[in-house]
């Protein structure tokens, strides 16, 4: 026993039954790190090498079923991932960013992916699909929003009742095949 703190700790532990101390020590070694606290991070992730992060990001991008048609690569500097390449849709672009951000040790993602649809449907059919997607969005009045499509870019105008509703509209539109990007001109105006 080198320090007073260690001596105090041993005296305190000595007051408990040996079986209880053993059980607590075993339980402490079996508890996964993720269960220790909500949002707790493994401190070792902060010091993960960029090369290891890049390899992990590449593996995640290859395995993610949402990115089947993507041609994406990644570079990493100081834990910040820069995605480069092309994807077939805005939905795939967002999925790649989410997948990269979920890799341990990643501090940020710079999404430089370009949307290049394998075949660009005509704007009228994309607009029709966007309207259908908006009409299927729960707890949302599609008559309050208009969508105009030009070269695959959807221009959203109108009003939504909350930032959450705005996000739901964006997600619904991004999921429509043929959408290259969204220009959000929506106004949040509670009813």
């Amino acid at each position: 026993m080198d320090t007073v703190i260690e001596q105090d700790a041993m005296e305190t532990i000595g007051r408990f039954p040996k079986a209880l101390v053993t059980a607590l020590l075993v339980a402490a070694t079996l508890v996964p790190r993720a269960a220790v606290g909500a949002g707790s991070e493994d401190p070792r992730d902060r010091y993960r090498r960029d090369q290891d992060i890049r390899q992990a990001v590449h593996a995640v991008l290859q395995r993610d079923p949402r990115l089947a048609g993507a041609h994406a690569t990644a570079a990493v500097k100081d834990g910040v991932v820069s995605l480069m390449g092309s994807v077939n849709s805005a939905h795939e672009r967002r999925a790649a960013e989410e997948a990269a951000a979920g890799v341990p040790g990643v501090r940020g993602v710079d999404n430089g992916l370009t949307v290049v649809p394998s075949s660009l449907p005509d704007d009228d059919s994309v607009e029709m699909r966007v309207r259908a997607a908006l009409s299927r969005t729960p707890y949302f009045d599609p008559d309050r929003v208009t969508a105009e499509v030009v070269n695959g870019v959807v221009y959203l105008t109108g009003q939504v009742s909350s930032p959450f509703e705005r996000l739901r509209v964006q997600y619904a539109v991004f999921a429509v095949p043929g959408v290259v990007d969204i220009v959000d001109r929506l106004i949040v105006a509670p009813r």
Side-chain angles (χ1 to χ4, degrees):
M1 311 283 164
D2 295 287
T3 66
V4 174
I5 295 172
E6 287 176 340
Q7 289 174 353
D8 283 347
M10 291 308 293
E11 287 174 14
T12 303
I13 290 172
R15 292 185 204 138
F16 293 101
K18 189 172 185 176
L20 176 62
V21 172
T22 304
L24 289 172
L25 289 173
V26 168
T29 60
L30 295 177
V31 174
R33 278 181 264 138
V36 171
S40 67
E41 269 186 36
D42 184 349
R44 292 174 290 187
D45 289 343
R46 284 185 265 157
Y47 304 107
R48 212 167 165 192
R49 293 182 336 172
D50 287 345
Q51 181 180 355
D52 296 337
I53 293 171
R54 187 178 72 63
Q55 289 174 347
V57 168
H58 277 283
V60 167
L61 294 176
Q62 293 297 318
R63 286 192 317 257
D64 194 320
R66 301 174 296 173
L67 304 172
H71 302 284
T73 61
V76 181
K77 175 127 172 85
D78 298 327
V80 177
V81 176
S82 297
L83 295 174
M84 299 160 285
S86 63
V87 292
N88 292 324
S89 68
H91 184 64
E92 283 184 11
R93 184 175 190 270
R94 183 171 284 188
E97 183 173 342
E98 290 171 357
V103 171
V106 171
R107 295 182 184 174
V109 178
D110 177 23
N111 194 342
L113 292 171
T114 305
V115 178
V116 182
S118 52
S119 64
L120 191 60
D122 66 292
D123 290 342
D124 291 336
S125 67
V126 173
E127 191 170 318
M128 203 166 64
R129 286 188 212 141
V130 166
R131 285 193 186 126
L134 291 176
S135 69
R136 289 189 306 269
T137 303
Y139 311 109
F140 170 69
D141 181 7
D143 294 333
R144 297 181 72 199
V145 172
T146 59
E148 182 183 349
V149 181
V150 178
N151 296 326
V153 178
V154 180
Y155 294 85
L156 295 171
T157 55
Q159 291 184 344
V160 291
S161 59
S162 68
F164 179 70
E165 188 172 70
R166 168 186 258 163
L167 194 59
R168 282 193 317 203
V169 167
Q170 290 173 353
Y171 270 104
V173 173
F174 266 126
V176 173
V179 172
V180 174
D181 201 2
I182 294 176
V183 176
D184 183 352
R185 297 177 179 154
L186 297 173
I187 297 169
V188 177
R191 294 181 191 186

